[in-house]
Amino acid sequence: YLYSKTFDLSDGLKQSSHISFSWAANGKIDDVLKLCRNDHEKAVVYIMKGLHDYGDGATIGLDMMQKAYDADANIKGLAEVMTREISKAEERFVTTPNIWYYSDSQANALKSVYPAYLKQLNDFAKRVVKDGKNGDKAFWYLASAYIHLIQNNYAEATAYLDMAAKENMSPRQKDIHGVTTALLILKQNR
């Protein structure tokens, strides 16, 4: 519980707090949640679990994001968990799984899970935008655009890139928009 408090209060101690939390909790957060005094503290714990793979399921990050969002829609770290989940999905579904990490049966199982998981991630991103509680619509539009892109749904990727462009994007988001647009053009013209 104290590691989650430190994680929430200090950007400088986030990494060491998360490592210590991960080691101490080992993915079992029920006892930590009992100590939380409010929904914000619970959301922090969900974010911390969502940022680490405890081997409790390839799609646990979405569950943790949903719980964190439901507890506190403006919780810091929500975008980071989404980015991590998209990256995991891309690694495990879009690229050929590395034979050193996955057996053929594991690779086939991942390929059967991730198309539906990508849809669920996208549905969550769209929910966050629709609810209007999070305040960073540009990120969630970009997330949807990228999910559509890796699924080769170019029309939807373009539509969500256009929606993101209408928002007040940070310089980093503008860079992501530019890179995603370039990838879209490359994929469309190959």
Side-chain angles (χ1 to χ4, degrees):
Y1 171 73
L2 293 177
Y3 293 131
S4 71
K5 294 288 288 177
T6 305
F7 179 90
D8 189 35
L9 296 174
S10 172
D11 287 344
L13 294 174
K14 274 198 181 350
Q15 184 176 9
S16 62
S17 298
H18 188 259
I19 290 168
S20 297
F21 173 88
S22 298
W23 177 82
N26 196 26
K28 297 169 181 68
I29 60 172
D30 290 341
D31 288 339
V32 180
L33 290 170
K34 290 176 188 173
L35 297 172
C36 293
R37 296 181 181 141
N38 55 50
D39 286 341
H40 174 79
E41 289 184 356
K42 289 177 183 176
V44 170
V45 172
Y46 293 132
I47 290 295
M48 292 180 80
K49 181 168 181 180
L51 287 170
H52 187 81
D53 187 355
Y54 293 96
D56 51 0
T59 59
I60 193 72
L62 176 60
D63 184 45
M64 293 298 105
M65 273 194 298
Q66 290 171 327
K67 288 180 178 180
Y69 179 76
D70 290 341
D72 181 356
N74 284 307
I75 187 68
K76 283 175 67 176
L78 201 58
E80 286 78 3
V81 178
M82 175 60 98
T83 301
R84 183 175 187 282
E85 290 305 298
I86 292 170
S87 179
K88 282 174 28 186
E90 188 173 32
E91 173 193 335
R92 295 175 180 174
F93 170 66
V94 178
T95 61
T96 304
N98 187 323
I99 60 170
W100 295 104
Y101 298 116
Y102 305 112
S103 68
D104 287 342
S105 63
Q106 288 172 317
N108 289 334
L110 289 172
K111 284 187 177 187
S112 70
V113 167
Y114 271 99
Y117 189 57
L118 286 169
K119 181 185 180 320
Q120 292 170 340
L121 286 174
N122 208 351
D123 289 346
F124 178 73
K126 292 172 184 178
R127 173 186 167 206
V128 172
V129 168
K130 183 179 176 188
D131 290 351
K133 297 177 188 175
N134 183 265
D136 192 6
K137 286 184 179 182
F139 170 81
W140 298 102
Y141 284 138
L142 290 169
S144 285
Y146 194 75
I147 291 169
H148 285 299
L149 175 67
I150 62 177
Q151 292 180 303
N152 300 320
N153 187 341
Y154 305 137
E156 288 295 313
T158 301
Y160 279 90
L161 283 169
D162 291 347
M163 287 183 246
K166 293 177 185 173
E167 297 297 323
N168 186 18
M169 291 189 288
S170 70
R172 184 173 180 166
Q173 288 171 337
K174 288 178 184 177
D175 290 344
I176 292 168
H177 186 278
V179 169
T180 306
T181 300
L183 287 171
L184 175 63
I185 292 167
L186 287 171
K187 286 185 85 168
Q188 287 177 316
N189 294 311
R190 61 176 175 165

